[in-house]
């Protein structure tokens, strides 16, 4: 498996510094948070995009994905959501990234992290699933044209593998897949084996992280919290999955969390050890 980290852990850091961290600590790739407050976002012009792509190529580091914020199950008209996804796909294509990340964002769409039942009655769940599947089905055609795969992250209204599969199954398009955030499936009460079983037909890559508890999701160094990382990596290895592991350290949302750069080396060593032991 290849290892990456997300720039969510180094908010605002210049790309050259991000690449230096990746090279110094032995990471093969970087997931780029695509937000206007970051160096890389859909508002970049063609020349700026070409420069970013050239810097990654020169450093020998891959752009794993572009982590956007489009919400495919959100209430409202389809077109604004599809326009946002098109912009992310174009950015990823220009950077040479194989994936973009989108969120479910079904109601309530207020920035909270509800459990799946908070969507309300079964009709509301079914409607959110249908909206998300419809939009992803359309967007997947754009993804195919761009050569970029759209990944629905296990998050917010659809935080379990089972919930994500309810959307992705009806889409049935190879350019629409899943991004498995191990924290969210765990917070949703889903066992690792069940998450994998639901997501395996759609899986793009896996986000790993660690936290103190379900009530305290402040990011921690890998292996120092409660998330079942060893179990997850053992299962992935046993199943012969050989994709990307991306450490998403949510420093942007937790100012008092330790700086990610000082944790990257030990994090890579832990993941490498767990993978070796699993093999």
């Amino acid at each position: 498996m290849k290892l990456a980290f997300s720039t969510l852990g180094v908010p605002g850091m210049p790309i050259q510094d991000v690449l230096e961290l990746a090279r110094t600590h032995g990471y093969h790739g970087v997931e780029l948070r695509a937000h206007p407050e970051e160096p890389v976002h859909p508002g970049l012009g063609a020349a700026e995009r070409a420069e970013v792509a050239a810097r990654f190529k020169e450093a020998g580091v891959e752009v794993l994905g572009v982590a956007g914020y489009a919400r495919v199950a959100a209430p409202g008209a389809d077109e604004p959501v599809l326009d946002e996804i098109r912009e992310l796909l174009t950015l990823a294509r220009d950077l040479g990234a194989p994936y973009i990340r989108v969120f479910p964002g079904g109601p309530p769409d207020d920035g909270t992290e509800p459990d799946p039942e908070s969507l309300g009655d079964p009709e509301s769940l079914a409607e959110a699933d249908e909206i998300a599947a419809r939009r992803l089905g359309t967007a997947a055609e754009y993804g195919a044209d761009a050569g970029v795969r759209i990944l629905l992250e296990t998050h917010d209204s659809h935080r379990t593998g089972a919930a994500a599969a309810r959307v992705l199954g009806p889409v049935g398009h190879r350019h629409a897949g899943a991004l498995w955030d191990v924290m969210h499936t765990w917070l949703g009460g889903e066992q690792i084996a069940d998450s994998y079983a639901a997501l395996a037909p759609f899986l793009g890559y896996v986000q790993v992280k660690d936290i103190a508890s379900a009530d305290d999701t402040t990011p921690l160094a890998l292996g120092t919290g409660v998330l079942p990382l060893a179990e997850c990596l053992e299962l992935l290895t046993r199943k012969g999955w050989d994709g990307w592991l991306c450490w998403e350290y949510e420093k942007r949302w937790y100012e008092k969390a330790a700086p990610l750069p000082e944790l990257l080396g030990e994090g890579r060593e832990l993941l490498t050890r767990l993978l070796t032991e699993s093999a």
Side-chain angles (χ1 to χ4, degrees):
M1 300 182 204
K2 292 183 178 181
L3 305 181
F5 65 88
S6 167
T7 56
L8 187 64
V10 285
M13 180 176 284
I15 288 299
Q16 198 59 44
D17 295 342
V18 170
L19 291 170
E20 188 60 32
L21 284 176
R23 293 182 63 186
T24 298
H25 297 293
Y27 287 80
H28 308 96
V30 173
E31 179 193 77
L32 294 171
R33 177 179 179 244
H35 190 279
E37 66 187 20
E38 299 292 345
V40 178
H41 54 81
L44 289 187
E48 295 168 302
R49 296 177 184 212
E51 181 181 358
V52 171
R55 288 183 179 231
F56 270 87
K57 184 176 182 179
E58 182 181 359
V61 177
E62 297 182 52
V63 183
L64 168 58
V66 171
Y69 289 88
R71 288 168 162 76
V72 296
D78 289 356
E79 204 55 38
V81 179
L82 294 173
D83 286 345
E84 187 174 358
I85 294 174
R86 284 191 198 98
E87 290 181 349
L88 292 168
L89 288 168
T90 301
L91 177 61
R93 180 201 65 195
D94 294 346
L95 298 178
Y99 304 111
I100 66 165
R101 186 277 307 278
V102 299
F103 283 148
D109 190 25
D110 57 4
T112 60
E113 296 287 358
D115 69 38
E117 297 307 315
S118 68
L119 277 173
D121 60 63
E123 289 186 5
S124 297
L125 282 167
E127 182 179 9
D129 292 349
E130 190 278 330
I131 290 170
R134 182 178 70 240
R135 290 170 177 166
L136 281 172
T138 300
E141 295 295 335
Y142 307 147
D145 291 341
V148 178
R149 198 169 182 214
I150 305 164
L151 301 184
L152 177 67
E153 184 172 327
T154 54
H155 195 273
D156 57 77
S157 62
H158 292 65
R159 74 185 340 172
T160 64
R166 286 201 318 263
V167 172
L168 292 167
V171 175
H173 197 296
R174 67 180 302 272
H175 278 84
L179 199 173
W180 180 8
D181 183 320
V182 174
M183 181 185 76
H184 282 286
T185 54
W186 181 83
L187 288 172
E190 197 170 57
Q191 297 298 310
I192 288 293
D194 294 333
S195 298
Y196 177 81
L199 295 171
F202 317 105
L203 192 55
Y205 64 95
V206 180
Q207 283 182 346
V208 296
K209 58 188 71 173
D210 222 339
I211 56 173
S213 70
D215 297 319
D216 181 4
T217 56
T218 303
L220 299 176
L222 293 179
T224 64
V226 297
L227 293 185
L229 299 179
E231 180 186 352
C232 179
L233 269 59
E234 191 278 330
L235 177 63
L236 290 170
T237 301
R238 180 159 42 87
K239 296 294 185 178
W241 190 79
D242 62 355
W244 285 86
L245 299 176
C246 178
W247 184 4
E248 187 189 48
Y249 185 82
E250 298 184 341
K251 174 68 172 175
R252 174 62 183 84
W253 315 125
Y254 296 88
E255 185 177 343
K256 295 183 179 180
L260 177 62
E262 64 189 38
L263 306 176
L264 282 172
E266 291 183 0
R268 190 258 305 155
E269 291 173 5
L270 174 73
L271 293 173
T272 301
R273 178 172 61 78
L274 291 176
L275 289 170
T276 301
E277 292 173 354
S278 298

